Amino acid sequence: MIDIAELAATHLDAARSDQHGRSAGIVAHDGELRQTIIALTAGSSLGEHNSPNAATLQVWQGRVRVESPDGDVEASTGHLWVLTHERHSVHAVEDSVFLLTTLTGVGRSSHG
């Protein structure tokens, strides 16, 4: 069994010691499913990157802003957000920890 609260505290401590204000680790990886815990200190960011095929971001602590062409979205402790399919970046408004859940091997439908 995985203790997310314990992992969150460990990674936030590590982020506070990291020169870039970040720490991350794989929580679970099963086929296409991947869960990653990410800690960012206030003011630090994950630069613009492509979105996986499907993903959610669940904030365990703090507040983050996801910036994309679809518009900016802020999420705080307890919020779960389905990520955009557009390129995006993540910025920590305050010291934050979030769980990123992705499906990496599922193709997007071409039907519209």
Side-chain angles (χ1 to χ4, degrees), residues 55-85:
T56 61
L57 181 151
Q58 181 181 18
V59 181
W60 277 78
Q61 179 179 342
R63 188 165 43 120
V64 298
R65 182 174 55 251
V66 178
E67 300 172 348
S68 77
D70 288 343
D72 298 352
V73 174
E74 279 199 11
S76 57
T77 302
H79 289 158
L80 174 72
W81 188 60
V82 177
L83 285 171
T84 176
H85 289 292

Side-chain angles (χ1 to χ4, degrees), residues 3-106:
D3 185 336
I4 298 295
E6 182 180 311
L7 281 175
T10 298
H11 280 281
L12 190 53
D13 285 346
R16 288 175 175 147
S17 299
D18 181 73
Q19 68 179 1
H20 300 292
R22 300 183 293 221
S23 179
I26 299 293
V27 175
H29 188 197
D30 183 12
E32 294 99 9
L33 174 70
R34 181 177 299 208
Q35 290 185 301
T36 306
I37 193 155
I38 302 172
L40 300 173
T41 57
S44 62
S45 298
L46 298 177
E48 188 176 64
H49 54 277
N50 290 325
S51 180
N53 292 322
T56 61
L57 181 151
Q58 181 181 18
V59 181
W60 277 78
Q61 179 179 342
R63 188 165 43 120
V64 298
R65 182 174 55 251
V66 178
E67 300 172 348
S68 77
D70 288 343
D72 298 352
V73 174
E74 279 199 11
S76 57
T77 302
H79 289 158
L80 174 72
W81 188 60
V82 177
L83 285 171
T84 176
H85 289 292
E86 302 295 325
R87 287 182 60 81
H88 62 277
S89 60
V90 181
H91 176 77
V93 177
E94 55 192 51
D95 287 0
S96 302
V97 180
F98 58 93
L99 184 66
L100 177 66
T101 301
T102 61
L103 291 176
T104 58
V106 178

